[in-house]
Amino acid sequence: MKPNLIVQKFGGTSVGNIDRIKNVARKVAKAREEGKDVVVVVSAMAGETDKLLKLAHEITENPNRREIDLLLSSGERISSALLTLALNEIGCPAVSLTGRQLGLLTDNTHTRARIKEISGQRAKKILEQNHVVVVAGFQGINEHGDVTTLGRGGSDTSAVALAVALDAERCEIFTDVDGVYTADPNMVPDARKLDHVSFEEMLEMASLGAKVLQIRSVEFARNFNMPIVVRSSYNEVDGTLVSEEDPTMEQPVVSGVMYDKNQSKITLSKVPDQPGIAAKIFCTLAEAGLSIDMIIQNVSAENHTDISFTLPTTHVAEAMPIMRGIVGEIHACEVSEDCDISKVSIVGAGMRSHPGVAAKMFRALSDENINIMMISTSEIRVSCVIEKKYTELAVRVIHKEFGLENEQVQEESETRSPPERKAASS
Ligand code: ADP
Ligand code: ASP
Ligand code: MG
């Protein structure tokens, strides 16, 4: 490990205007004064990526993804050059690098490319000259030399992958909230900042809707054991450490409540209850590159059943024609879509050893008369599909039910046995 090297990533709002860019420059300069070698990764200025996408959609409904990548990568080029100017202006020597100049090689999947390799040679040389390296996040190049981007929120992944490639001490993600919270702090005013979250929990949280970190960045961090600190760009408050689970520490039963409004449900009704039908439906979807989340199949009546599954709303337009084709082939009755749903989930490593957690979540929802349409669980997660209009209410009541606003209150509930309760309060 290079002990003095840190990677600092600043998100869109943190570089949203010139004053904020100057603020970032001061933060970076301070880290340097404290003796750190610093590599900075920046996002595009807030709203810039959406603005560029909108421009493309004003020209065509279905823009070419290669061209979209070139277009979107310009947002991060602008912010990296502006921050570099700001750093040099306050006497902190810095050099900017695009994804290409950094040597960040990806696969060929335009708009959601995966990182294959980061050469890092150029960055190392700049660091040796005692300069700060400012990297344009979210972008790389593929084997043909074409610009690719890493999917929305992808600068987080650029930063963690770069921290791994350069063998940094840690990766700091500076954003517009003080850290990872028990729920989206912009939705739940009582949400509490967590001091520590394990990689496993953070992976679940990110995949269930906590957009504070892109999922792939957490995968990188876990696979290479790179600690991440999520913290605010606007104050010095200690953030949240995302790192390996500490086996000697008691894990909270529930660490957080997440929601995802970008989910829809597709239902095939009166499907013949025969071997091979589910395989046919889901293989066809997989071949089209559509990832499915929850699946439920009803009890069979008169040799027919209903099958429902959820997928991101952005994939519905692609999935529906495929499903209509299948309905004809397998002689099912009909296919329908429901975009008015959302998924609400709880995550907690301590769930592994505590029964009754799911029941408690269901009770909180039923007390508010919120109907649960689908349920899925993993070792450290419970997810429920509900009507979209109840999302905020559901997140708040579940948060309250588990006492997440107060540290360790959830440990006093009936989910914990008496000896463990004693250990937790000592
Ligand atoms: P950036 O532009 O810095 O990358 P993002 O908007 O991608 O920032 O992520 C930060 C946002 O994530 C916060 O403003 C917050 O609304 C949202 N968020 C959702 N869930 C959580 C959570 N559990 N903890 C912290 N932030 C969360
Ligand atoms: N600018 C890109 C986005 O808005 C990448 C990022 O911010 O991480 O998704
Ligand atoms: Mg982000």
PDB file of all heavy atoms in Angstrom, residues 9-13 42-50 72 75-76 137-139 149-158 214, ligand 2:
ATOM      1  N   LYS A   9     -13.100  11.761  -4.180  1.00  0.00           N
ATOM      2  CA  LYS A   9     -14.055  11.965  -5.275  1.00  0.00           C
ATOM      3  C   LYS A   9     -15.097  13.008  -4.864  1.00  0.00           C
ATOM      4  O   LYS A   9     -15.640  12.946  -3.756  1.00  0.00           O
ATOM      5  CB  LYS A   9     -14.733  10.637  -5.625  1.00  0.00           C
ATOM      6  CG  LYS A   9     -15.784  10.749  -6.719  1.00  0.00           C
ATOM      7  CD  LYS A   9     -17.183  10.698  -6.184  1.00  0.00           C
ATOM      8  CE  LYS A   9     -18.223  11.064  -7.202  1.00  0.00           C
ATOM      9  NZ  LYS A   9     -19.594  10.978  -6.690  1.00  0.00           N
ATOM     10  N   PHE A  10     -15.352  13.964  -5.743  1.00  0.00           N
ATOM     11  CA  PHE A  10     -16.345  14.995  -5.460  1.00  0.00           C
ATOM     12  C   PHE A  10     -17.493  14.883  -6.456  1.00  0.00           C
ATOM     13  O   PHE A  10     -17.283  14.890  -7.672  1.00  0.00           O
ATOM     14  CB  PHE A  10     -15.701  16.387  -5.529  1.00  0.00           C
ATOM     15  CG  PHE A  10     -14.704  16.606  -4.415  1.00  0.00           C
ATOM     16  CD1 PHE A  10     -13.378  16.237  -4.574  1.00  0.00           C
ATOM     17  CD2 PHE A  10     -15.104  17.128  -3.189  1.00  0.00           C
ATOM     18  CE1 PHE A  10     -12.458  16.406  -3.545  1.00  0.00           C
ATOM     19  CE2 PHE A  10     -14.191  17.294  -2.158  1.00  0.00           C
ATOM     20  CZ  PHE A  10     -12.872  16.933  -2.328  1.00  0.00           C
ATOM     21  N   GLY A  11     -18.720  14.763  -5.924  1.00  0.00           N
ATOM     22  CA  GLY A  11     -19.906  14.574  -6.767  1.00  0.00           C
ATOM     23  C   GLY A  11     -20.401  15.864  -7.390  1.00  0.00           C
ATOM     24  O   GLY A  11     -19.850  16.950  -7.154  1.00  0.00           O
ATOM     25  N   GLY A  12     -21.473  15.732  -8.173  1.00  0.00           N
ATOM     26  CA  GLY A  12     -21.984  16.832  -8.986  1.00  0.00           C
ATOM     27  C   GLY A  12     -22.323  18.104  -8.224  1.00  0.00           C
ATOM     28  O   GLY A  12     -21.919  19.203  -8.630  1.00  0.00           O
ATOM     29  N   THR A  13     -23.047  17.971  -7.090  1.00  0.00           N
ATOM     30  CA  THR A  13     -23.404  19.192  -6.356  1.00  0.00           C
ATOM     31  C   THR A  13     -22.166  19.817  -5.738  1.00  0.00           C
ATOM     32  O   THR A  13     -22.071  21.043  -5.614  1.00  0.00           O
ATOM     33  CB  THR A  13     -24.441  18.914  -5.241  1.00  0.00           C
ATOM     34  OG1 THR A  13     -24.336  17.561  -4.853  1.00  0.00           O
ATOM     35  CG2 THR A  13     -25.841  19.216  -5.679  1.00  0.00           C
ATOM     36  N   VAL A  42     -13.550  13.773 -10.268  1.00  0.00           N
ATOM     37  CA  VAL A  42     -14.735  14.639 -10.220  1.00  0.00           C
ATOM     38  C   VAL A  42     -15.849  14.134 -11.129  1.00  0.00           C
ATOM     39  O   VAL A  42     -15.619  13.525 -12.177  1.00  0.00           O
ATOM     40  CB  VAL A  42     -14.436  16.106 -10.636  1.00  0.00           C
ATOM     41  CG1 VAL A  42     -13.770  16.863  -9.514  1.00  0.00           C
ATOM     42  CG2 VAL A  42     -13.616  16.171 -11.899  1.00  0.00           C
ATOM     43  N   SER A  43     -17.083  14.434 -10.678  1.00  0.00           N
ATOM     44  CA  SER A  43     -18.274  14.256 -11.520  1.00  0.00           C
ATOM     45  C   SER A  43     -18.473  15.514 -12.344  1.00  0.00           C
ATOM     46  O   SER A  43     -17.845  16.541 -12.077  1.00  0.00           O
ATOM     47  CB  SER A  43     -19.522  14.112 -10.646  1.00  0.00           C
ATOM     48  OG  SER A  43     -19.529  12.910  -9.967  1.00  0.00           O
ATOM     49  N   ALA A  44     -19.426  15.450 -13.257  1.00  0.00           N
ATOM     50  CA  ALA A  44     -19.824  16.656 -13.989  1.00  0.00           C
ATOM     51  C   ALA A  44     -20.549  17.585 -13.023  1.00  0.00           C
ATOM     52  O   ALA A  44     -21.094  17.140 -12.011  1.00  0.00           O
ATOM     53  CB  ALA A  44     -20.756  16.262 -15.127  1.00  0.00           C
ATOM     54  N   MET A  45     -20.560  18.893 -13.329  1.00  0.00           N
ATOM     55  CA  MET A  45     -21.291  19.843 -12.487  1.00  0.00           C
ATOM     56  C   MET A  45     -22.768  19.422 -12.432  1.00  0.00           C
ATOM     57  O   MET A  45     -23.308  18.912 -13.422  1.00  0.00           O
ATOM     58  CB  MET A  45     -21.150  21.252 -13.080  1.00  0.00           C
ATOM     59  CG  MET A  45     -19.712  21.740 -13.042  1.00  0.00           C
ATOM     60  SD  MET A  45     -19.412  23.203 -14.071  1.00  0.00           S
ATOM     61  CE  MET A  45     -20.008  24.496 -12.994  1.00  0.00           C
ATOM     62  N   ALA A  46     -23.403  19.635 -11.264  1.00  0.00           N
ATOM     63  CA  ALA A  46     -24.777  19.141 -11.054  1.00  0.00           C
ATOM     64  C   ALA A  46     -25.708  19.513 -12.216  1.00  0.00           C
ATOM     65  O   ALA A  46     -25.717  20.654 -12.678  1.00  0.00           O
ATOM     66  CB  ALA A  46     -25.326  19.729  -9.762  1.00  0.00           C
ATOM     67  N   GLY A  47     -26.451  18.552 -12.699  1.00  0.00           N
ATOM     68  CA  GLY A  47     -27.438  18.796 -13.761  1.00  0.00           C
ATOM     69  C   GLY A  47     -26.868  18.713 -15.166  1.00  0.00           C
ATOM     70  O   GLY A  47     -27.615  18.607 -16.149  1.00  0.00           O
ATOM     71  N   GLU A  48     -25.521  18.711 -15.282  1.00  0.00           N
ATOM     72  CA  GLU A  48     -24.893  18.773 -16.603  1.00  0.00           C
ATOM     73  C   GLU A  48     -25.176  17.499 -17.429  1.00  0.00           C
ATOM     74  O   GLU A  48     -25.514  17.579 -18.613  1.00  0.00           O
ATOM     75  CB  GLU A  48     -23.377  18.959 -16.416  1.00  0.00           C
ATOM     76  CG  GLU A  48     -22.599  19.199 -17.681  1.00  0.00           C
ATOM     77  CD  GLU A  48     -22.914  20.534 -18.340  1.00  0.00           C
ATOM     78  OE1 GLU A  48     -23.461  21.431 -17.678  1.00  0.00           O
ATOM     79  OE2 GLU A  48     -22.624  20.651 -19.555  1.00  0.00           O
ATOM     80  N   THR A  49     -25.053  16.343 -16.799  1.00  0.00           N
ATOM     81  CA  THR A  49     -25.257  15.083 -17.534  1.00  0.00           C
ATOM     82  C   THR A  49     -26.701  14.994 -18.043  1.00  0.00           C
ATOM     83  O   THR A  49     -26.952  14.629 -19.198  1.00  0.00           O
ATOM     84  CB  THR A  49     -24.912  13.879 -16.631  1.00  0.00           C
ATOM     85  OG1 THR A  49     -23.615  14.111 -16.060  1.00  0.00           O
ATOM     86  CG2 THR A  49     -24.881  12.575 -17.399  1.00  0.00           C
ATOM     87  N   ASP A  50     -27.659  15.385 -17.174  1.00  0.00           N
ATOM     88  CA  ASP A  50     -29.078  15.370 -17.592  1.00  0.00           C
ATOM     89  C   ASP A  50     -29.308  16.351 -18.741  1.00  0.00           C
ATOM     90  O   ASP A  50     -30.055  16.064 -19.680  1.00  0.00           O
ATOM     91  CB  ASP A  50     -29.982  15.766 -16.409  1.00  0.00           C
ATOM     92  CG  ASP A  50     -30.066  14.657 -15.372  1.00  0.00           C
ATOM     93  OD1 ASP A  50     -29.859  13.482 -15.739  1.00  0.00           O
ATOM     94  OD2 ASP A  50     -30.327  14.966 -14.194  1.00  0.00           O
ATOM     95  N   LEU A  72     -21.656  12.700 -23.151  1.00  0.00           N
ATOM     96  CA  LEU A  72     -21.730  12.776 -21.689  1.00  0.00           C
ATOM     97  C   LEU A  72     -20.353  12.931 -21.043  1.00  0.00           C
ATOM     98  O   LEU A  72     -20.226  13.576 -20.005  1.00  0.00           O
ATOM     99  CB  LEU A  72     -22.424  11.533 -21.107  1.00  0.00           C
ATOM    100  CG  LEU A  72     -23.884  11.305 -21.507  1.00  0.00           C
ATOM    101  CD1 LEU A  72     -24.512  10.244 -20.606  1.00  0.00           C
ATOM    102  CD2 LEU A  72     -24.710  12.583 -21.424  1.00  0.00           C
ATOM    103  N   GLY A  75     -18.987  16.401 -19.792  1.00  0.00           N
ATOM    104  CA  GLY A  75     -19.348  17.032 -18.515  1.00  0.00           C
ATOM    105  C   GLY A  75     -18.221  16.920 -17.509  1.00  0.00           C
ATOM    106  O   GLY A  75     -17.852  17.899 -16.841  1.00  0.00           O
ATOM    107  N   GLU A  76     -17.624  15.758 -17.401  1.00  0.00           N
ATOM    108  CA  GLU A  76     -16.544  15.531 -16.434  1.00  0.00           C
ATOM    109  C   GLU A  76     -15.241  16.193 -16.894  1.00  0.00           C
ATOM    110  O   GLU A  76     -14.414  16.570 -16.066  1.00  0.00           O
ATOM    111  CB  GLU A  76     -16.340  14.022 -16.225  1.00  0.00           C
ATOM    112  CG  GLU A  76     -17.188  13.389 -15.125  1.00  0.00           C
ATOM    113  CD  GLU A  76     -18.671  13.252 -15.418  1.00  0.00           C
ATOM    114  OE1 GLU A  76     -19.066  13.504 -16.571  1.00  0.00           O
ATOM    115  OE2 GLU A  76     -19.440  12.894 -14.510  1.00  0.00           O
ATOM    116  N   GLY A 137     -14.064  11.784 -13.946  1.00  0.00           N
ATOM    117  CA  GLY A 137     -14.687  10.503 -13.593  1.00  0.00           C
ATOM    118  C   GLY A 137     -15.622   9.998 -14.670  1.00  0.00           C
ATOM    119  O   GLY A 137     -15.810  10.649 -15.712  1.00  0.00           O
ATOM    120  N   PHE A 138     -16.168   8.776 -14.457  1.00  0.00           N
ATOM    121  CA  PHE A 138     -17.316   8.276 -15.233  1.00  0.00           C
ATOM    122  C   PHE A 138     -16.960   7.801 -16.638  1.00  0.00           C
ATOM    123  O   PHE A 138     -17.802   7.333 -17.364  1.00  0.00           O
ATOM    124  CB  PHE A 138     -18.355   9.421 -15.257  1.00  0.00           C
ATOM    125  CG  PHE A 138     -19.600   9.265 -16.055  1.00  0.00           C
ATOM    126  CD1 PHE A 138     -20.460   8.192 -15.845  1.00  0.00           C
ATOM    127  CD2 PHE A 138     -19.972  10.236 -16.988  1.00  0.00           C
ATOM    128  CE1 PHE A 138     -21.659   8.092 -16.551  1.00  0.00           C
ATOM    129  CE2 PHE A 138     -21.152  10.149 -17.698  1.00  0.00           C
ATOM    130  CZ  PHE A 138     -22.006   9.072 -17.474  1.00  0.00           C
ATOM    131  N   GLN A 139     -15.665   7.922 -17.040  1.00  0.00           N
ATOM    132  CA  GLN A 139     -15.337   7.654 -18.443  1.00  0.00           C
ATOM    133  C   GLN A 139     -14.075   6.815 -18.616  1.00  0.00           C
ATOM    134  O   GLN A 139     -13.205   6.786 -17.746  1.00  0.00           O
ATOM    135  CB  GLN A 139     -15.108   8.973 -19.171  1.00  0.00           C
ATOM    136  CG  GLN A 139     -14.016   9.817 -18.540  1.00  0.00           C
ATOM    137  CD  GLN A 139     -13.959  11.198 -19.178  1.00  0.00           C
ATOM    138  OE1 GLN A 139     -13.332  11.391 -20.206  1.00  0.00           O
ATOM    139  NE2 GLN A 139     -14.650  12.130 -18.568  1.00  0.00           N
ATOM    140  N   THR A 149     -18.735   5.287 -21.155  1.00  0.00           N
ATOM    141  CA  THR A 149     -19.042   5.777 -19.799  1.00  0.00           C
ATOM    142  C   THR A 149     -19.537   4.607 -18.950  1.00  0.00           C
ATOM    143  O   THR A 149     -19.932   3.556 -19.472  1.00  0.00           O
ATOM    144  CB  THR A 149     -20.080   6.917 -19.801  1.00  0.00           C
ATOM    145  OG1 THR A 149     -21.311   6.427 -20.326  1.00  0.00           O
ATOM    146  CG2 THR A 149     -19.600   8.120 -20.586  1.00  0.00           C
ATOM    147  N   LEU A 150     -19.511   4.821 -17.627  1.00  0.00           N
ATOM    148  CA  LEU A 150     -19.664   3.703 -16.682  1.00  0.00           C
ATOM    149  C   LEU A 150     -21.051   3.591 -16.075  1.00  0.00           C
ATOM    150  O   LEU A 150     -21.218   2.921 -15.053  1.00  0.00           O
ATOM    151  CB  LEU A 150     -18.638   3.855 -15.548  1.00  0.00           C
ATOM    152  CG  LEU A 150     -17.184   4.054 -15.976  1.00  0.00           C
ATOM    153  CD1 LEU A 150     -16.292   4.262 -14.759  1.00  0.00           C
ATOM    154  CD2 LEU A 150     -16.690   2.845 -16.775  1.00  0.00           C
ATOM    155  N   GLY A 151     -22.059   4.242 -16.667  1.00  0.00           N
ATOM    156  CA  GLY A 151     -23.410   4.193 -16.087  1.00  0.00           C
ATOM    157  C   GLY A 151     -23.590   5.334 -15.110  1.00  0.00           C
ATOM    158  O   GLY A 151     -22.614   5.856 -14.561  1.00  0.00           O
ATOM    159  N   ARG A 152     -24.857   5.720 -14.870  1.00  0.00           N
ATOM    160  CA  ARG A 152     -25.123   6.871 -14.013  1.00  0.00           C
ATOM    161  C   ARG A 152     -24.504   6.672 -12.629  1.00  0.00           C
ATOM    162  O   ARG A 152     -24.555   5.572 -12.082  1.00  0.00           O
ATOM    163  CB  ARG A 152     -26.637   7.123 -13.896  1.00  0.00           C
ATOM    164  CG  ARG A 152     -27.334   7.470 -15.202  1.00  0.00           C
ATOM    165  CD  ARG A 152     -26.716   8.614 -15.980  1.00  0.00           C
ATOM    166  NE  ARG A 152     -26.609   9.881 -15.261  1.00  0.00           N
ATOM    167  CZ  ARG A 152     -27.501  10.864 -15.304  1.00  0.00           C
ATOM    168  NH1 ARG A 152     -28.593  10.724 -16.037  1.00  0.00           N
ATOM    169  NH2 ARG A 152     -27.297  11.994 -14.653  1.00  0.00           N
ATOM    170  N   GLY A 153     -23.918   7.723 -12.126  1.00  0.00           N
ATOM    171  CA  GLY A 153     -23.243   7.622 -10.824  1.00  0.00           C
ATOM    172  C   GLY A 153     -21.867   6.988 -10.913  1.00  0.00           C
ATOM    173  O   GLY A 153     -21.239   6.676  -9.909  1.00  0.00           O
ATOM    174  N   GLY A 154     -21.363   6.819 -12.158  1.00  0.00           N
ATOM    175  CA  GLY A 154     -20.151   6.034 -12.400  1.00  0.00           C
ATOM    176  C   GLY A 154     -18.849   6.642 -11.898  1.00  0.00           C
ATOM    177  O   GLY A 154     -17.834   5.948 -11.812  1.00  0.00           O
ATOM    178  N   SER A 155     -18.855   7.917 -11.516  1.00  0.00           N
ATOM    179  CA  SER A 155     -17.608   8.506 -10.995  1.00  0.00           C
ATOM    180  C   SER A 155     -17.203   7.847  -9.686  1.00  0.00           C
ATOM    181  O   SER A 155     -16.018   7.796  -9.354  1.00  0.00           O
ATOM    182  CB  SER A 155     -17.769  10.010 -10.769  1.00  0.00           C
ATOM    183  OG  SER A 155     -18.046  10.637 -11.974  1.00  0.00           O
ATOM    184  N   ASP A 156     -18.188   7.364  -8.924  1.00  0.00           N
ATOM    185  CA  ASP A 156     -17.851   6.633  -7.690  1.00  0.00           C
ATOM    186  C   ASP A 156     -16.970   5.433  -8.041  1.00  0.00           C
ATOM    187  O   ASP A 156     -15.978   5.144  -7.366  1.00  0.00           O
ATOM    188  CB  ASP A 156     -19.119   6.087  -7.005  1.00  0.00           C
ATOM    189  CG  ASP A 156     -20.048   7.174  -6.506  1.00  0.00           C
ATOM    190  OD1 ASP A 156     -19.555   8.281  -6.240  1.00  0.00           O
ATOM    191  OD2 ASP A 156     -21.263   6.910  -6.384  1.00  0.00           O
ATOM    192  N   THR A 157     -17.353   4.756  -9.123  1.00  0.00           N
ATOM    193  CA  THR A 157     -16.608   3.560  -9.525  1.00  0.00           C
ATOM    194  C   THR A 157     -15.235   3.930 -10.067  1.00  0.00           C
ATOM    195  O   THR A 157     -14.240   3.254  -9.764  1.00  0.00           O
ATOM    196  CB  THR A 157     -17.429   2.755 -10.551  1.00  0.00           C
ATOM    197  OG1 THR A 157     -18.696   2.486  -9.956  1.00  0.00           O
ATOM    198  CG2 THR A 157     -16.764   1.447 -10.921  1.00  0.00           C
ATOM    199  N   SER A 158     -15.158   5.026 -10.842  1.00  0.00           N
ATOM    200  CA  SER A 158     -13.829   5.481 -11.299  1.00  0.00           C
ATOM    201  C   SER A 158     -12.928   5.675 -10.091  1.00  0.00           C
ATOM    202  O   SER A 158     -11.760   5.263 -10.090  1.00  0.00           O
ATOM    203  CB  SER A 158     -13.903   6.836 -12.007  1.00  0.00           C
ATOM    204  OG  SER A 158     -14.847   6.846 -13.020  1.00  0.00           O
ATOM    205  N   GLN A 214     -22.528   4.227  -6.155  1.00  0.00           N
ATOM    206  CA  GLN A 214     -22.909   3.335  -7.263  1.00  0.00           C
ATOM    207  C   GLN A 214     -22.543   1.889  -6.883  1.00  0.00           C
ATOM    208  O   GLN A 214     -21.484   1.662  -6.270  1.00  0.00           O
ATOM    209  CB  GLN A 214     -22.172   3.735  -8.559  1.00  0.00           C
ATOM    210  CG  GLN A 214     -22.880   3.192  -9.795  1.00  0.00           C
ATOM    211  CD  GLN A 214     -21.976   3.100 -11.031  1.00  0.00           C
ATOM    212  OE1 GLN A 214     -20.774   2.865 -10.906  1.00  0.00           O
ATOM    213  NE2 GLN A 214     -22.538   3.265 -12.199  1.00  0.00           N
TER     214      GLN A 214
HETATM  215  N1  ASP B   2     -22.089  12.648 -14.256  1.00  0.00           N
HETATM  216  C1  ASP B   2     -22.510  11.266 -14.197  1.00  0.00           C
HETATM  217  C2  ASP B   2     -23.956  11.179 -13.721  1.00  0.00           C
HETATM  218  O1  ASP B   2     -24.593  12.208 -13.501  1.00  0.00           O
HETATM  219  C3  ASP B   2     -21.602  10.418 -13.365  1.00  0.00           C
HETATM  220  C4  ASP B   2     -21.514  10.787 -11.899  1.00  0.00           C
HETATM  221  O2  ASP B   2     -21.970  11.862 -11.495  1.00  0.00           O
HETATM  222  O3  ASP B   2     -20.972   9.983 -11.130  1.00  0.00           O
HETATM  223  O4  ASP B   2     -24.486  10.113 -13.603  1.00  0.00           O
END
